[in-house]
Amino acid sequence: MTVSSIFLRIYGGLLFSLVLVSLLSGITVSIVNSSRLADYRESMVKGTLKLVAEKVTRLPEHERQSWLDYWGHRLSIPFSLVNSADVTLSDANKDRLHHWQVVINMLDDNQALVYTQVEPGTLLKGQVDSISEAMMTGTMSLLQTLMADIPEQKRFDTMASLQEKAFNYQARLLTLAETGLKQPLLVNQLRQGNVVTLVDNATETITLFGQIHHAEKVIRLGPVELLNPYPPQLVITIGLFVLLSLSLTIYTLVRGIERRLRKLERAAKRFSGGDFAVRVNVSGADSIGSLAMAFNDMAGHIERLLGVQKEMIRGVSHELRTPVARLRFALEMIADAESVTEREMQLAGMDKDIVELDTLVDEFLTYANLEQGAPTLRFKRLNVDTIAAQVVSEHLRLQSRIQIEHLPCSTSERRQFSDIDPRYLHRAIQNLVGNACRYADTRIQVKFSATQDNCRIDVDDDGPGIPKEQWERVFTAFSRLDDSRTRKSGGYGLGLSIVQRIMYWHNGRAKVSHSPLGGAQFSLIWPRKQK
């Protein structure tokens, strides 16, 4: 695992978290703004709806709809009178209507239906698409008209009552001087019956002024707050939410990586201290999980190599002791030899001991090369049966005591070819046949067979065989069986271990079983095609 892969993991987690947090933030803002819009729309429409309902209650039934159509156009709110039984509302909203309150029912983000009770059993219904300037100026015009029909001495009380019951913003009666309007143009517009609208960008509010017809009093509505879809409080809250979420994500990712890396660090320290059995319990398919698996593989391989090294040291010290002792004894005998014939006999014996030492060193080097890691195998597609026949021919030339048969191969010629390293496979078959020659009584059979996927070589002998409970042990380095196969037969206990490692590097296996000839059967099995 590289540093870049760790940062890539963190970056991927941050990117995912950012997308997720952005999505959640957008949904949150949408929900909050929908609720704020519904509340704002209700507060703005409430006074207008109350004024309309108040006027409708005083009109004859045949004039109501025409009056509603007129003011509905002025206010940009289509009005209608409906039977309360025909409207589907919740029990809570029905109770609100019963107490002469306003109920708003959002159709979507832009449209809403508003209701208020005109009289028992009859509801005033309006459809509000947006809170527009037309609605506000229409509300002012409606309020001017209503106030003009009320005696002057009752106007203050009526406005106070409307302020309490209907409006969620200020509605007051003022003199022209109290309005603070000093620009002649605005004053002339008031005197001409127009509605004056002042916008304060600093506070994001609007204030409306309208003079009552044929009176000196001026109605002021507002200041009315404009709806800001992204107020500072909401933006700050969402920003803090995003920062907190990203911080938690970074902490979680880094903390998880740090915790797993610390496990690796502790295991590496224990390993460097000599605890070669330590393993890291870190799972996962990411880079750290792969690093942990690589560490465990490395630790297992080193532990096995150290075990092999100890076995080899013990084996070498044991195996070298005998020929060296014989050489020392032969040297002493040469010094005491009384004739040339006796001296030459001792020299011949020493030569045999040197050949044995040379063979032993070759076995040690071959085994060490196969155990130290991945040896250099050069796979070639060759006829395996030909190699088996070659090994049989070589052993027949070297000895005549045992009858060695190369059984004909019944596999098609195409399947006799396999991906192998000819040098190592030749050595494996040679070791099996040599091992069989030491223990067979009279016969050895060598046979090659193959399927579409696998190749197999069987070496059978008619010797004493191997007990089943010792089949696994027979492939252990420097191991010799005490009973049927004794030290008198020769060997160093490495031949079968070398065979097993050669099969391992061919992605195959070596096994032992009972032979049809009565002795032992050693088999080599490996895939025809190497990856």
Side-chain angles (χ1 to χ4, degrees):
M1 183 188 66
T2 61
V3 176
S4 60
S5 65
I6 295 178
F7 280 107
L8 186 62
R9 173 180 168 83
I10 296 175
Y11 176 75
L14 284 177
L15 184 61
F16 174 78
S17 300
L18 184 60
V19 173
L20 182 61
V21 169
S22 299
L23 182 62
L24 292 176
S25 300
I27 295 174
T28 302
V29 170
S30 178
I31 294 174
V32 170
N33 277 342
S34 296
S35 177
R36 292 176 63 237
L37 179 60
D39 293 340
Y40 180 75
R41 188 168 289 172
E42 180 178 354
S43 65
M44 296 300 293
V45 172
K46 178 181 177 182
T48 304
L49 208 63
K50 281 292 185 180
L51 292 179
V52 174
E54 184 77 17
K55 180 63 177 179
V56 168
T57 56
R58 296 199 295 266
L59 291 174
E61 289 189 10
H62 64 278
E63 296 181 5
R64 290 180 175 180
Q65 191 58 53
S66 59
W67 189 88
L68 288 174
D69 292 341
Y70 172 77
W71 283 103
H73 178 72
R74 291 281 305 271
L75 295 166
S76 298
I77 303 177
F79 289 114
S80 61
L81 295 173
V82 296
N83 193 314
S84 59
D86 297 334
V87 178
T88 303
L89 295 171
S90 64
D91 293 337
N93 285 334
K94 289 179 180 179
D95 185 65
R96 293 183 64 192
L97 289 174
H98 182 70
H99 288 83
W100 306 91
Q101 296 181 18
V102 173
V103 170
I104 184 167
N105 184 17
M106 297 293 297
L107 299 178
D108 52 39
D109 290 341
N110 297 317
Q111 291 185 331
L113 296 178
V114 290
Y115 301 92
T116 189
Q117 185 171 261
V118 175
E119 54 192 24
T122 302
L123 301 179
L124 174 63
K125 172 185 174 183
Q127 180 173 325
V128 181
D129 294 334
S130 62
I131 306 300
S132 61
E133 185 179 354
M135 190 195 79
M136 296 301 298
T137 55
T139 301
M140 174 60 80
S141 299
L142 178 59
L143 193 57
Q144 287 175 291
T145 303
L146 293 177
M147 287 294 110
D149 295 339
I150 296 174
E152 184 176 354
Q153 63 273 20
K154 294 183 179 182
R155 286 174 181 166
F156 281 99
D157 294 337
T158 303
M159 185 63 71
S161 177
L162 288 173
Q163 171 72 70
E164 180 181 355
K165 295 179 180 179
F167 294 107
N168 286 349
Y169 47 85
Q170 290 186 16
R172 298 180 59 188
L173 282 179
L174 304 172
T175 62
L176 186 58
E178 291 173 332
T179 61
L181 298 176
K182 299 180 180 180
Q183 298 181 20
L185 180 61
L186 297 180
V187 174
N188 290 333
Q189 288 182 353
L190 279 179
R191 294 191 180 281
Q192 292 173 8
N194 295 323
V195 176
V196 174
T197 303
L198 298 181
V199 179
D200 189 340
N201 292 323
T203 59
E204 296 184 344
T205 59
I206 61 172
T207 306
L208 288 82
F209 298 92
Q211 188 171 7
I212 300 175
H213 304 306
H214 309 297
E216 291 297 323
K217 296 297 183 181
V218 176
I219 302 172
R220 187 187 73 181
L221 297 181
V224 179
E225 293 185 3
L226 299 175
L227 180 65
N228 183 1
Y230 301 103
Q233 298 89 339
L234 182 60
V235 172
I236 293 173
T237 302
I238 295 298
L240 291 176
F241 172 72
V242 171
L243 289 176
L244 179 62
S245 300
L246 292 179
S247 300
L248 289 176
T249 300
I250 295 174
Y251 175 79
T252 303
L253 290 173
V254 174
R255 179 62 177 168
I257 292 173
E258 181 187 18
R259 184 171 60 251
R260 299 166 78 197
L261 287 176
R262 285 192 179 277
K263 286 185 178 180
L264 280 169
E265 181 186 10
R266 288 193 294 268
K269 287 182 177 179
R270 289 176 57 188
F271 191 83
S272 64
D275 185 3
F276 301 114
V278 66
R279 297 295 183 271
V280 184
N281 185 20
V282 175
S283 60
D286 57 355
S287 300
I288 298 180
S290 300
L291 177 61
M293 291 178 60
F295 177 88
N296 291 338
D297 292 342
M298 177 198 70
H301 185 63
I302 292 177
E303 184 181 23
R304 184 173 58 81
L305 288 179
L306 290 174
V308 169
Q309 184 185 50
K310 292 178 181 179
E311 289 293 330
M312 288 188 66
I313 291 173
R314 286 197 294 266
V316 168
S317 63
H318 174 76
E319 297 294 341
L320 288 179
R321 188 175 294 115
T322 300
V324 169
R326 288 202 303 266
L327 284 171
R328 184 179 295 112
F329 178 75
L331 285 172
E332 293 175 357
M333 293 297 294
I334 290 174
D336 298 335
E338 297 179 354
S339 64
V340 176
T341 303
E342 187 178 353
R343 186 180 299 109
E344 288 179 351
M345 184 178 65
Q346 295 299 329
L347 288 173
M350 291 178 66
D351 184 66
K352 289 182 180 179
D353 288 334
I354 292 172
V355 171
E356 183 178 343
L357 284 174
D358 186 63
T359 304
L360 177 60
V361 170
D362 179 65
E363 291 281 281
F364 283 152
L365 292 177
T366 301
Y367 181 69
N369 183 51
L370 291 169
E371 283 287 356
Q372 69 181 356
T376 304
L377 270 68
R378 294 178 175 86
F379 289 108
K380 299 179 181 179
R381 196 159 189 79
L382 299 173
N383 190 313
V384 180
D385 194 46
T386 302
I387 297 176
Q390 179 184 351
V391 173
V392 171
S393 176
E394 291 170 355
H395 277 273
L396 285 174
R397 290 197 302 269
L398 294 174
Q399 62 86 39
S400 58
R401 183 182 71 86
I402 304 298
Q403 178 186 354
I404 306 176
E405 300 178 68
H406 173 234
L407 300 181
C409 177
S410 59
T411 306
S412 65
E413 184 177 359
R414 182 178 62 84
R415 288 189 178 180
Q416 294 178 21
F417 284 80
S418 173
D419 296 334
I420 59 170
D421 183 300
R423 180 171 63 95
Y424 279 112
L425 187 66
H426 183 281
R427 179 65 177 271
I429 302 173
Q430 187 181 58
N431 282 11
L432 290 185
V433 175
N435 181 75
C437 286
R438 285 193 292 271
Y439 303 114
D441 291 334
T442 58
R443 293 178 61 195
I444 296 174
Q445 290 181 345
V446 179
K447 181 181 180 180
F448 170 76
S449 60
T451 63
Q452 181 177 353
D453 299 322
N454 297 314
C455 293
R456 177 174 178 140
I457 288 180
D458 296 315
V459 178
D460 294 271
D461 66 64
D462 61 350
I466 301 174
K468 188 174 182 178
E469 60 271 14
Q470 295 183 337
W471 284 357
E472 291 296 328
R473 181 184 163 207
V474 76
F475 291 104
T476 304
F478 304 105
S479 67
R480 295 188 183 90
L481 306 185
D482 297 330
D483 300 328
S484 60
R485 301 187 173 216
T486 66
R487 182 69 181 89
K488 296 178 183 179
S489 62
Y492 311 104
L494 286 176
L496 295 180
S497 298
I498 291 174
V499 170
Q500 186 186 50
R501 296 309 295 172
I502 290 174
M503 282 297 97
Y504 174 81
W505 294 115
H506 276 75
N507 298 307
R509 59 192 177 96
K511 71 171 189 173
V512 62
S513 59
H514 295 301
S515 169
L517 299 181
Q521 180 186 76
F522 285 88
S523 302
L524 308 179
I525 304 170
W526 72 94
R528 286 184 62 236
K529 297 180 180 180
Q530 299 291 339
K531 295 182 180 179

